């Protein structure tokens, strides 16, 4: 039996251990489904492409790639990812953690030991990702200074710039939810922190307009309407090239600032740094036409709250098992498994949980001017 305490309840919640096995069984089921679908799609793509080329030999395999995958191998990989997460302070495999880096090392080692594929590593930077200390927010209302509580009254908007105000700065309320240029043009914004209510457009659109009109900082406050409309929302993202600090406020704090806007000023203090060396891994088959590539990919990172065994450990190990077994079939002459005329590329992308950053970097930076992508299978 596993006991989970809840600070908001007077009694502990008991979770029967059988549910742990049910959950693990579901993860294995989903992983096997991923493998079956991916292997089937790979075969369909290759056979359809081959059938269009009358000069090529159609690859009629008597051995199916999906049949080579063993449940015990998947369990072994998933258990290793769980152990990797358990070794970290927060039991996570999110980017910029030991858990993420160890996950990439595990993938690389498995590929090196079990395949002859060409392994490539690409690195990129996530700007303003690491918050160094607890962000601070002070307000001065009618001369009284209030220290607001992080995660209760406000939270940091991801990718926002750092700031250390050395004096109180006035607040300006942006009308009409701040989704259009006209909402910003006629407001005096010089040396001010803009206060905008949630709604009508994306958070990133509000942030982009705040950047455009060069305010000193941005507060977006909750709307008090939706089911999540009162507390500050964690995980809201700014644009990657932002130059200003931005906080998401609770509805109550936002309304307090709106109602006292003529007599309120604030201090923002937040220290952030870039997450450097975030890694993508790709492994290419040695055979196959490099100008015709089939890509099979999944993301290797998880969220910060948990080990990420389902999302996306299942996808990570699914394509790892596919890669290892495809390499074995290609290299075992006695199996008579014909190599494909197309190159197959297996990829593990980082920072998916922050907005598909790794896969976007791969598309933007992979220098393959002569490559034609004939098929894709992306697994989350």
């Amino acid at each position: 039996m596993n006991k989970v305490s809840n600070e908001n309840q007077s009694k502990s919640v008991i979770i029967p251990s059988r549910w742990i096995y049910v959950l693990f069984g579901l993860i294995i089921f989903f992983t096997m489904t991923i493998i079956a679908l991916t292997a089937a799609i790979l075969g369909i793509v290759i056979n359809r492409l081959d059938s269009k080329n009358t000069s090529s030999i159609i690859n009629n395999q008597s051995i199916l790639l999906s049949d080579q995958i063993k449940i015990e191998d998947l369990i072994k990989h998933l258990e290793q990812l769980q152990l990797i997460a358990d070794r970290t302070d927060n039991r996570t495999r999110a980017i910029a953690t030991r858990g993420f880096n160890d996950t990439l090392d595990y993938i690389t080692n498995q590929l090196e030991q079990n395949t002859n594929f060409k392994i490539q590593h690409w690195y990129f930077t996530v700007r303003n990702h690491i918050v160094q200390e607890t962000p601070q927010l002070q307000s001065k209302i009618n001369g009284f200074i209030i220290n607001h509580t992080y995660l209760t009254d406000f939270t940091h908007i991801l990718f926002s710039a750092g700031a250390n105000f050395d004096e109180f700065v006035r607040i300006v309320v942006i009308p009409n939810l701040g989704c259009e240029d006209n909402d910003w043009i006629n407001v005096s914004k010089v040396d001010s922190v803009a206060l905008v209510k949630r709604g009508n457009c994306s958070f990133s659109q509000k942030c982009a307009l705040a950047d455009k009109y060069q305010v000193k900082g941005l507060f977006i406050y909750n709307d008090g309407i939706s089911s999540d409309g009162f507390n500050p929302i964690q995980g809201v993202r700014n644009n990657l090239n932002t130059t200003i600090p931005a906080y998401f406020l609770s509805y109550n704090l936002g309304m307090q600032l709106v109602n006292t806007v003529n007599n309120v000023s604030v201090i923002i203090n937040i220290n952030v740094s870039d997450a450097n060396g975030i890694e993508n891994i790709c492994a290419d088959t040695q055979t196959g036409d490099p100008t015709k590539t089939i890509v099979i990919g999944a993301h290797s990172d998880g969220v910060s709250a948990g080990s990420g065994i389902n999302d996306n450990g299942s996808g990570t190990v699914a394509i790892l098992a596919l890669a290892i077994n495809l390499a074995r079939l290609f290299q075992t002459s006695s199996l008579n498994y014909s190599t494909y005329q197309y190159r197959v590329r297996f990829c593990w992308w980082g920072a998916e949980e922050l907005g598909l950053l790794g896969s976007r970097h791969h598309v933007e930076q992979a220098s393959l001017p002569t490559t034609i992508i004939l098929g894709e299978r992306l697994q989350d």
Side-chain angles (χ1 to χ4, degrees):
M1 306 286 280
N2 296 300
K3 183 178 291 186
V4 178
S5 63
N6 187 332
E7 294 178 354
N8 297 321
Q9 297 179 356
S10 59
K11 296 182 179 180
S12 296
V13 178
I14 306 299
I15 301 177
S17 58
R18 67 176 179 274
W19 289 110
I20 302 298
Y21 295 108
V22 170
L23 177 60
F24 197 71
L26 287 172
I27 292 173
I28 292 296
F29 171 77
F30 290 139
T31 306
M32 290 299 295
T33 302
I34 292 166
I35 289 173
L37 288 173
T38 305
I41 290 171
L42 180 60
I44 290 170
V45 169
I46 288 172
N47 283 328
R48 285 185 177 178
L49 292 171
D50 281 341
S51 66
K52 294 178 181 179
N53 186 352
T54 56
S55 64
S56 67
I57 299 174
I58 296 179
N59 197 344
N60 291 319
Q61 303 285 9
S62 60
I63 298 174
L64 295 178
L65 173 58
S66 58
D67 290 342
Q68 308 305 304
I69 312 299
K70 307 300 181 185
I71 289 180
E72 52 267 29
D73 292 334
L74 298 175
I75 293 176
K76 178 191 71 174
H77 293 315
L78 289 170
E79 287 176 341
Q80 288 301 310
L81 295 188
Q82 184 65 59
L83 288 173
I84 286 170
D86 289 343
R87 287 198 297 263
T88 67
D89 292 338
N90 296 321
R91 303 184 72 180
T92 180
R93 296 186 305 107
I95 69 161
T97 67
R98 177 187 172 187
F100 176 69
N101 295 333
D102 287 354
T103 296
L104 300 182
D105 288 344
Y106 179 76
I107 294 169
T108 300
N109 290 337
Q110 288 295 310
L111 292 171
E112 290 176 344
Q113 294 170 14
N114 297 288
T115 79
N116 66 343
F117 293 168
K118 179 183 177 182
I119 303 171
Q120 302 174 76
H121 303 266
W122 284 282
Y123 300 91
F124 59 97
T125 295
V126 179
R127 290 194 59 210
N128 300 331
H129 174 65
I130 301 172
V131 179
Q132 303 287 1
E133 301 170 348
T134 302
Q136 304 295 317
L137 173 60
Q138 284 185 324
S139 66
K140 184 164 65 173
I141 302 175
N142 296 319
F144 293 96
I145 296 176
I146 303 172
N147 291 303
H148 299 285
T149 304
Y150 186 59
L151 301 183
T152 300
D153 298 321
F154 72 100
T155 189
H156 167 58
I157 294 180
L158 298 179
F159 311 140
S160 299
N164 287 286
F165 291 5
D166 54 10
E167 59 183 13
F168 283 93
V169 175
R170 75 184 188 97
I171 284 179
V172 58
V173 176
I174 305 299
N176 303 323
L177 301 177
C179 293
E180 305 290 341
D181 284 282
N182 288 338
D183 299 336
W184 296 77
I185 289 174
N186 297 320
V187 177
S188 176
K189 303 168 292 295
V190 178
D191 293 327
S192 299
V193 172
L195 179 62
V196 185
K197 190 175 184 179
R198 173 189 183 184
N200 274 18
C201 62
S202 67
F203 299 123
S204 61
Q205 186 173 342
K206 297 176 190 286
C207 292
L209 286 167
D211 256 312
K212 178 179 179 179
Y213 288 98
Q214 299 180 336
V215 296
K216 198 162 185 178
L218 173 66
F219 292 160
I220 300 175
Y221 68 99
N222 220 330
D223 58 14
I225 299 173
S226 53
S227 59
D228 61 348
F230 291 90
N231 296 322
I233 300 177
Q234 297 184 54
V236 172
R237 298 167 187 159
N238 206 327
N239 303 293
L240 289 175
N241 58 350
T242 187
T243 59
I244 62 173
Y247 285 167
F248 197 102
L249 311 185
S250 69
Y251 173 72
N252 289 337
L253 177 55
M255 290 305 300
Q256 182 182 25
L257 298 179
V258 168
N259 293 332
T260 58
V261 68
N262 293 324
N263 297 291
V264 64
S265 54
V266 294
I267 283 181
I268 297 173
N269 285 304
I270 178 170
N271 295 316
V272 297
S273 62
D274 297 341
N276 297 308
I278 306 305
E279 185 177 348
N280 289 337
I281 300 173
C282 288
D284 296 345
T285 55
Q286 295 280 6
T287 58
D289 187 346
T291 68
K292 299 176 180 179
T293 300
I294 296 172
V295 178
I296 301 173
H299 71 89
S300 54
D301 62 313
V303 296
S304 58
S307 58
I309 297 304
N310 183 39
D311 181 12
N312 188 35
S314 57
T316 295
V317 305
I319 67 169
L320 181 60
L322 280 172
I324 290 172
N325 281 277
L326 183 62
R328 180 178 60 81
L329 291 177
F330 281 172
Q331 295 177 79
T332 306
S333 58
S334 61
L335 295 177
N336 295 318
Y337 192 86
S338 302
T339 57
Y340 305 143
Q341 66 166 302
Y342 309 99
R343 179 173 66 180
V344 181
R345 166 170 289 182
F346 296 91
C347 288
W348 292 262
W349 292 302
E352 185 272 352
E353 298 292 356
L354 299 180
L356 309 177
L357 301 186
S359 54
R360 289 181 180 180
H361 178 79
H362 178 80
V363 171
E364 293 170 358
Q365 301 298 322
S367 179
L368 298 170
T370 60
T371 295
I372 301 173
I373 302 298
L374 296 176
E376 293 184 26
R377 171 66 186 176
L378 309 179
Q379 178 53 45
D380 185 348

